[in-house]
Amino acid sequence: MSRLFPHPMLSALLTVIWLLMVNEPSVGHLLLGAFLGWGIALLCSGFMLDVPRLRRPLLLCRYLLMVLWDIVIANLHVARLVLGPTRKLRPAFVEVPMEIENDFMLSVLACIVSLTPGTVSSGLSSDHKTLLLHGLDVADDQALIAEVKSRYEAPLMEIFECSRT
């Protein structure tokens, strides 16, 4: 059953999106949307990441608000840096050791770091143990590493069910 319907929620979501796109509720469009939703989910099942179980949903809400706040503050900081003298910038690449082992959570962490202006995740080592970050203004490598680990990585590990190395 699982191989025939690998991602039922994704199939249902794609069906609803199809019905919203065609904007014509009919049995034919419902069947076509269901077929497309099932087919796309089946074809993409090999590319889907394993999402760990959500352990603390309220902490996830707080985490998202914190990330949004960090994005706003970082935007203001980067605007001040860019509009000021460029000789004061201290760009640097920093290698951050990762405790997270789950590919989905590593992707989320890399996206969050890249969404925060002033930092970009540039790569992940082949063993998935080191995340390479580029910072626009890095005064202290260890401070940036500590901030990423305490502010972004540790809460993600607490929100989702995962094991520490």
Side-chain angles (χ1 to χ4, degrees), residues 39-95:
I40 291 170
L42 187 65
L43 288 172
C44 295
S45 65
F47 302 108
M48 303 296 249
L49 295 175
D50 179 37
V51 179
R53 192 174 75 79
L54 182 63
R55 187 171 51 177
R56 307 218 17 219
L58 293 178
L59 187 59
L60 175 63
C61 294
R62 192 174 121 219
Y63 182 72
L64 291 175
L65 289 173
M66 183 213 39
V67 168
L68 289 173
W69 177 255
D70 286 353
I71 290 171
V72 170
I73 296 301
N75 269 304
L76 296 173
H77 181 69
V78 168
R80 192 182 86 233
L81 288 171
V82 170
L83 296 174
T86 56
R87 68 185 181 305
K88 289 187 177 182
L89 293 179
R90 298 166 293 202
F93 282 97
V94 178
E95 290 184 345

Side-chain angles (χ1 to χ4, degrees), residues 17-149:
I17 290 172
W18 175 260
L19 291 174
L20 290 172
M21 283 179 29
V22 295
N23 199 22
E24 187 178 322
S26 69
V27 175
H29 281 296
L30 177 64
L31 291 174
L32 180 59
F35 176 74
L36 289 172
W38 168 77
I40 291 170
L42 187 65
L43 288 172
C44 295
S45 65
F47 302 108
M48 303 296 249
L49 295 175
D50 179 37
V51 179
R53 192 174 75 79
L54 182 63
R55 187 171 51 177
R56 307 218 17 219
L58 293 178
L59 187 59
L60 175 63
C61 294
R62 192 174 121 219
Y63 182 72
L64 291 175
L65 289 173
M66 183 213 39
V67 168
L68 289 173
W69 177 255
D70 286 353
I71 290 171
V72 170
I73 296 301
N75 269 304
L76 296 173
H77 181 69
V78 168
R80 192 182 86 233
L81 288 171
V82 170
L83 296 174
T86 56
R87 68 185 181 305
K88 289 187 177 182
L89 293 179
R90 298 166 293 202
F93 282 97
V94 178
E95 290 184 345
V96 181
M98 292 284 103
E99 290 183 46
I100 294 176
E101 295 177 351
N102 182 279
D103 289 340
F104 172 78
M105 289 176 50
L106 282 170
S107 298
V108 169
L109 180 64
C111 288
I112 287 171
V113 168
S114 293
L115 282 172
T116 308
T119 54
V120 176
S121 48
S122 303
L124 186 63
S125 64
S126 59
D127 63 354
H128 293 196
K129 298 288 184 191
T130 306
L131 182 66
L132 181 64
L133 299 182
H134 180 270
L136 181 63
D137 187 36
V138 180
D140 181 18
D141 292 3
Q142 294 305 316
L144 179 61
I145 291 170
E147 182 180 4
V148 168
K149 292 190 78 52

